[in-house]
Amino acid sequence: MSKLRFRVVETAFKKKAVEVKAPKDRPSDYFAVNVFNREKMFKYLPEKTFQCLVDSIDNGTPLNRETADAVANGMKKWAIEMGATHYTHWFHPLTEGTAEKHDAFVEHDGKGGMIEKFSGKLLVQQEPDASSFPNGGIRNTFEARGYTAWDPSSPAFIVNDTLCIPTIFIAYTGEPLDYKAPLLKALEAVNKAAVDVCNYFDPNVKKVYSYLGWEQEYFLVDEGLYAARPDLLLTGRTLMGHESSKNQQLEDHYFGAIPSRVMEYMKELEFESLKLGIPLKTRHNEVAPNQFELAPIFEECNLANDHNQLIMGLMRKLARKHGFRVLLHEKPFKGVNGSGKHNNWSLGTDTGALLMAPGKTPEENLRFITFVVNTLKAVYRHNALLKGSIISASNAHRLGANEAPPAIISSFLGSQVSKVLDEIENSDPDALNLAGKQVLDLGIPRIPELLLDNTDRNRTSPFAFTGNRFEFRAVGSEANCASAMLALNAAVAEQLIIFKSEVDAKIAEGKDKFAAILEVLRKDIKESKPVRFDGNGYSEEWKIEAAKRGLDCETSAPLIYDAYLSESSIKMFESTGVLNEKELEARNEIKWEMYTKKIQIEGRVLGDLAMNHIIPIATRYQSTLIDNVYKMKDLFPAEKAAQLSSKNLEIIEDIANRTIFIKEKVDEMIEARKAANKIESEREKAIAYHDQIFPMLEEIRYQIDKLELVVDNEMWTLPKYRELLFIR
């Protein structure tokens, strides 16, 4: 082992856990202490202001300037009492991360001094530079103006000495430049559409909420080892590295005892998260070595998404304190499980009903079937778009490998729900009528309550029904949940609108309400049947079958993005008021450009490492072997020397062939990048990077990984998988 690598590995293995002093209070005592929630609002705001703000949060009622000033004053008072000196508008640009610009609570007092000041104007709106964030051509560099606008539905919070105010981010001309603005529109669209359908069953329903429960998978590596791997540092994944002799094949890490250093990290992460109102509940070892998972209690979708963005930053920050680096890349290590962020999605009403859960009465069960079937129909109609909402240069590595779902969107329902849908589909339409006010008879046995806990799981299903929700398992670990959630909610909203119009048309023809619902459901069950699949999503047979069913089977990320600009996607987004065609085109430009840049960076990093690390190390070892061969000739008779040196000669030749291939392929890759960079179309450029340059990365990696097996371990400078993947 090289001296540098030895010191790095030895230091990493000797690290001890940073002890976290356990809080004496119960979690419920310090939960949301750093959040300006309703409890703080009630305490720091005048009663009238409090009522107006709550009405705005619950019902979307606009706030006037007087109310905004009063909210700002109360919020500032609370923040200063908590030790805050600055404030920032916290938003989600199209970079998968968050952004913030801090300003102090200070203004001139007109007497040569300073006063703490924070007005409603500063609360409601700020003006960051929009040209420096991805905009897809909506803004030019000389048109830099953009606005952040306060989102009252997500409470402000304090991080360190800064009051963070969740906001949307829009261009000067009104187009959204973030994830939150279209997500809020999608949530409102599904609310309106779902309320209309709910009113068939319960006229008291006035609002429907979209819920999200994310499961965040991640890797931890020792900070010293991370720093010694330029590929991890610059790309988030290992661009080379032979598999460790032992990785996850014994399945001993999954749900195993959490290493003490990791446990201390988790304890502090939970403590800080709970203070920020993030209701973390679950922690455990995941399948791959050094892989872990955390998950919160379900929340309303917008807030849950904010919390996920917030916790990813918190994870990175606290990891360094404990001598770790967090890896959120979907596939940081080849040959072991990648990391996802399962998005558990459901709908619920203001009356307390869960729309994805079976009920206790036939009417409640029919409502359950109605929303399940409409969700399936939406997923079927927009399966290509939903795949586009989760695909990225990094997530493309994960899909279809080591327990991740395949790159074909299908839905697993389990035997019980599938049987119910089949019974409805195949039943006699005349037997599905509701006579007067008699009990609704579906012609099938009552759906058992045990359905909630009696649904099996299919680990290969990208969109699985899991009892009272659907689990969108294809979302990547470093992704912004909003990308998938705005597409899913908008698609379901559109389908519910279509469903209601079809039911109303049949009612207008004189059909009974429930008979009309069942007739439309039978049609939708038949039409959406191709998206239902309970088998092995990894099998080659499924790929063939999925294509026959008309499901999207494209695997090229740049081509998958085309789904956003299909006629059906544009119509869906525009009809629900979520995004218009111009905005969709801009977002696709960003997706293609981001894909290109990520592969471009990986190509540059791998090329540099190959030329500056791998080839010099390999040739140095080769020279050692050559020297040994010559010494053999001096020491032994020619025939004996040839016999003793034969294996070394094979290795010498093997190293020569592999280093020559690497050098030639790196040069070829550089020329391919130069050619691709001249392409003006972002789409065509991304396709070139996918089709021509990305395969070269794998070809170069293969040769490097083979060299790692033969080159002297003491000479190899880069930490190996056996060192990276096991925390001591």
Side-chain angles (χ1 to χ4, degrees):
M1 188 185 299
S2 69
K3 291 182 179 179
L4 173 61
R5 182 163 138 251
F6 176 81
R7 288 198 299 271
V8 169
V9 174
E10 183 183 43
T11 301
F13 283 1
K14 286 183 177 179
K15 282 181 179 175
K16 295 182 180 179
V18 175
E19 187 176 354
V20 177
K21 192 173 183 180
K24 295 180 181 179
D25 299 327
R26 295 172 299 179
S28 58
D29 293 330
Y30 55 82
F31 179 73
V33 66
N34 289 339
V35 181
F36 194 67
N37 55 15
R38 296 198 185 199
E39 178 187 355
K40 315 292 192 325
M41 294 175 193
F42 184 80
K43 179 179 179 181
Y44 286 89
L45 301 180
E47 183 177 353
K48 182 181 177 181
T49 302
F50 172 77
Q51 295 298 337
C52 289
L53 181 55
V54 168
D55 187 38
S56 177
I57 294 170
D58 291 343
N59 305 310
T61 306
L63 294 173
N64 58 37
R65 178 61 181 273
E66 181 183 356
T67 302
D69 283 336
V71 172
N73 186 59
M75 194 181 288
K76 180 200 70 175
K77 183 179 179 182
W78 167 75
I80 291 175
E81 287 181 8
M82 293 291 293
T85 58
H86 289 69
Y87 65 92
T88 183
H89 275 200
W90 184 79
F91 58 101
H92 307 182
L94 298 171
T95 59
E96 303 296 342
T98 60
E100 53 197 65
K101 176 176 71 75
H102 297 202
D103 289 303
F105 288 120
V106 293
E107 295 288 347
H108 286 293
D109 65 357
K111 302 175 184 178
M114 305 292 289
I115 59 171
E116 287 77 20
K117 189 175 181 181
F118 183 56
S119 67
K121 179 180 179 182
L122 296 175
L123 167 66
V124 171
Q125 180 180 309
Q126 280 193 339
E127 186 182 325
D129 185 346
S131 67
S132 299
F133 291 102
N135 58 69
I138 286 179
R139 309 297 294 148
N140 293 311
T141 302
F142 60 86
E143 298 172 319
R145 184 167 290 175
Y147 297 109
T148 51
W150 177 35
D151 171 21
S153 66
S154 185
F157 54 91
I158 293 175
V159 175
N160 296 325
D161 65 350
T162 303
L163 172 67
C164 300
I165 303 159
T167 61
I168 63 170
F169 181 39
I170 59 174
Y172 176 71
T173 45
E175 297 91 351
L177 298 175
D178 68 343
Y179 284 107
K180 181 185 274 282
L183 175 62
L184 291 172
K185 292 179 180 179
L187 297 179
E188 182 57 23
V190 81
N191 165 42
K192 290 180 178 178
V195 165
D196 287 343
V197 174
C198 281
N199 288 159
Y200 285 138
F201 307 95
D202 182 359
N204 295 315
V205 173
K206 298 294 185 290
K207 189 167 185 177
V208 169
Y209 302 95
S210 175
Y211 292 107
L212 169 63
W214 42 264
E215 303 169 28
Q216 180 71 60
E217 295 175 342
Y218 62 98
F219 281 85
L220 289 175
V221 296
D222 283 292
E223 189 168 24
L225 299 178
Y226 173 89
R229 288 290 305 231
D231 49 351
L232 272 180
L233 184 68
L234 297 173
T235 72
R237 75 179 182 103
T238 52
L239 300 176
M240 63 188 76
H242 197 279
E243 287 187 36
S244 172
S245 300
K246 177 186 182 298
N247 47 54
Q248 67 184 46
Q249 64 265 52
L250 297 179
E251 300 176 333
D252 54 341
H253 186 67
Y254 191 46
F255 280 19
I258 300 170
S260 58
R261 285 179 59 204
V262 178
M263 178 60 80
E264 294 303 314
Y265 165 68
M266 288 180 170
K267 284 162 62 176
E268 185 166 13
L269 179 61
E270 288 178 357
F271 177 58
E272 295 298 331
S273 297
L274 289 168
K275 285 163 61 179
L276 287 167
I278 305 172
L280 289 190
K281 185 176 180 65
T282 303
R283 65 188 183 201
H284 63 82
N285 288 1
E286 255 301 332
V287 175
N290 284 21
Q291 189 185 34
F292 307 94
E293 180 180 295
L294 56 84
I297 300 170
F298 276 53
E299 299 178 286
E300 290 183 38
C301 189
N302 179 43
L303 181 59
N305 189 59
D306 278 0
H307 281 167
N308 183 247
Q309 289 297 109
L310 181 56
I311 203 168
M312 286 194 289
L314 193 60
M315 289 166 69
R316 293 186 179 100
K317 174 186 173 183
L318 293 179
R320 301 194 67 174
K321 177 179 177 181
H322 290 261
F324 294 124
R325 284 296 187 117
V326 167
L327 303 182
L328 292 174
H329 191 288
E330 283 79 5
K331 197 72 171 177
F333 301 105
K334 189 175 183 179
V336 298
N337 277 23
S339 295
K341 178 153 48 197
H342 303 173
N343 278 206
N344 294 277
W345 171 85
S346 65
L347 298 173
T349 71
D350 56 351
T351 60
L354 290 176
L355 300 179
M356 298 298 173
K360 296 181 179 180
T361 67
E363 287 84 356
E364 288 177 349
N365 283 331
L366 180 58
R367 182 187 63 197
F368 159 66
I369 293 297
T370 296
F371 278 91
V372 167
V373 170
N374 274 279
T375 299
L376 288 175
K377 185 73 178 293
V379 172
Y380 170 63
R381 295 178 66 236
H382 295 288
N383 73 95
L385 172 66
L386 290 175
K387 182 163 66 176
S389 74
I390 57 88
I391 199 68
S392 66
S394 52
N395 203 21
H397 290 282
R398 164 182 167 262
L399 295 180
N402 296 96
E403 245 190 38
I408 302 171
I409 300 297
S410 64
S411 185
F412 166 83
L413 296 180
S415 58
Q416 286 189 332
V417 178
S418 292
K419 182 180 179 181
V420 170
L421 298 193
D422 291 341
E423 291 280 357
I424 294 175
E425 177 190 354
N426 299 319
S427 60
D428 181 357
D430 293 333
L432 296 178
N433 289 324
L434 179 68
K437 294 185 179 180
Q438 294 176 354
V439 175
L440 177 66
D441 182 8
L442 298 180
I444 55 176
R446 179 177 172 275
I447 303 170
E449 267 187 275
L450 287 178
L451 183 64
L452 285 171
D453 301 311
N454 205 22
T455 302
D456 199 0
R457 302 189 73 187
N458 186 325
R459 305 294 292 179
T460 70
S461 177
F463 196 82
F465 180 72
T466 55
N468 58 3
R469 63 192 182 275
F470 281 93
E471 184 180 14
F472 198 178
R473 302 186 64 250
V475 182
S477 56
E478 67 178 353
N480 189 314
C481 298
S483 178
M485 288 296 99
L486 72 89
L488 175 60
N489 281 288
V492 171
E494 179 202 41
Q495 174 55 33
L496 289 171
I497 292 169
I498 294 171
F499 175 81
K500 185 176 187 301
S501 67
E502 292 177 349
V503 171
D504 287 348
K506 293 187 180 299
I507 292 174
E509 293 172 359
K511 291 210 169 187
D512 177 87
K513 176 177 65 175
F514 288 114
I517 290 172
L518 284 164
E519 188 172 336
V520 177
L521 284 177
R522 289 182 75 250
K523 174 185 71 71
D524 287 343
I525 289 170
K526 289 180 181 179
E527 291 178 356
S528 64
K529 202 165 187 177
V531 85
R532 289 162 52 190
F533 179 66
D534 290 359
N536 180 11
Y538 292 156
S539 68
E540 291 301 316
E541 292 80 6
W542 166 235
K543 295 177 184 178
I544 297 170
E545 173 64 20
K548 289 180 180 178
R549 294 186 183 189
L551 301 180
D552 189 278
C553 299
E554 182 59 62
T555 58
S556 167
L559 294 179
I560 290 172
Y561 293 142
D562 287 345
Y564 275 94
L565 298 178
S566 69
E567 183 179 348
S568 60
S569 294
I570 293 172
K571 180 181 178 182
M572 181 271 287
F573 279 120
E574 290 192 335
S575 67
T576 54
V578 176
L579 291 164
N580 61 38
E581 186 172 359
K582 178 183 177 182
E583 292 162 352
L584 289 169
E585 289 173 349
R587 284 165 189 262
N588 260 28
E589 288 291 303
I590 294 169
K591 290 177 184 293
W592 286 317
E593 183 181 9
M594 195 68 71
Y595 181 89
T596 295
K597 287 180 177 178
K598 286 189 175 182
I599 304 300
Q600 185 183 73
I601 291 169
E602 290 186 351
R604 289 173 174 172
V605 171
L606 183 59
D608 290 346
L609 287 175
M611 301 306 298
N612 297 327
H613 282 256
I614 306 305
I615 290 179
I617 294 165
T619 52
R620 191 183 310 155
Y621 179 58
Q622 184 185 49
S623 297
T624 301
L625 295 178
I626 293 171
D627 184 57
N628 177 265
V629 169
Y630 277 110
K631 288 179 179 177
M632 288 285 189
K633 289 182 179 180
D634 292 339
L635 187 61
F636 297 102
E639 185 176 343
K640 184 67 173 178
Q643 180 184 355
L644 294 173
S645 303
S646 61
K647 293 299 180 183
N648 280 352
L649 287 170
E650 289 179 12
I651 297 174
I652 290 168
E653 183 178 1
D654 183 56
I655 291 174
N657 290 335
R658 295 190 190 282
T659 53
I660 289 170
F661 179 93
I662 291 170
K663 174 65 169 64
E664 290 177 348
K665 189 59 68 172
V666 168
D667 290 342
E668 183 183 345
M669 182 172 61
I670 291 171
E671 293 306 312
R673 287 206 310 266
K674 289 179 180 178
N677 291 341
K678 294 178 182 178
I679 300 174
E680 292 187 7
S681 164
E682 291 295 347
R683 179 181 182 274
E684 297 305 316
K685 187 187 297 184
I687 292 171
Y689 266 85
H690 175 274
D691 293 350
Q692 300 168 27
I693 296 160
F694 177 73
M696 295 181 189
L697 298 179
E698 292 302 305
E699 293 177 77
I700 295 169
R701 176 182 188 141
Y702 177 82
Q703 301 298 332
I704 292 174
D705 290 355
K706 290 296 183 182
L707 286 174
E708 184 183 315
L709 292 176
V710 299
V711 171
D712 186 353
N713 186 60
E714 290 189 4
M715 291 185 178
W716 199 262
T717 58
L718 303 175
K720 298 182 178 182
Y721 271 28
R722 67 170 181 258
E723 296 151 358
L724 289 165
L725 279 172
F726 297 94
I727 291 173
R728 298 294 189 270

